Amino acid sequence: MAKGRQVVENSGLNYKEWEELIDLWIFDAKHRKMLKAHLLDGVSYETLAEKYNYSVTWVRKTIYKAEERLFSKIK
């Protein structure tokens, strides 16, 4: 399991609370959608890359940066 999913599952916050935090701290709409799909719904990098027409590498980096920003704001 990815680190981000572990943080979400062990946080004690519910789905709606995570959605609100992502909306608050991730400013780009597409990045928010991708982060929610991956972090909260378990959608794979590959599926997101195909859906948004980006490389898997770009999607991984984008989600990683968004997770870093989000997690730094809630600690």
Side-chain angles (χ1 to χ4, degrees):
M1 179 185 313
K3 178 186 174 208
R5 301 261 315 152
Q6 287 177 337
V7 171
V8 169
E9 290 178 4
N10 295 329
S11 71
L13 299 174
N14 65 37
Y15 190 97
K16 182 69 175 162
E17 290 168 321
W18 275 108
E19 279 189 316
E20 291 170 359
L21 288 169
I22 292 169
D23 290 341
L24 180 65
W25 293 111
I26 307 303
F27 304 125
D28 183 278
K30 192 175 292 184
H31 295 181
R32 277 195 307 270
K33 287 179 185 178
M34 290 188 333
L35 183 60
K36 286 179 184 179
H38 180 71
L39 198 59
L40 303 179
D41 300 325
V43 178
S44 71
Y45 297 122
E46 293 79 9
T47 300
L48 291 169
E50 189 174 306
K51 178 178 180 177
Y52 290 102
N53 200 29
Y54 291 115
S55 71
V56 173
T57 301
W58 186 90
V59 169
R60 282 180 200 250
K61 288 179 181 179
T62 300
I63 289 175
Y64 177 78
K65 289 176 187 176
E67 285 178 342
E68 279 188 326
R69 177 174 177 75
L70 176 65
F71 297 154
S72 74
K73 298 297 183 181
I74 61 172
K75 286 188 177 186

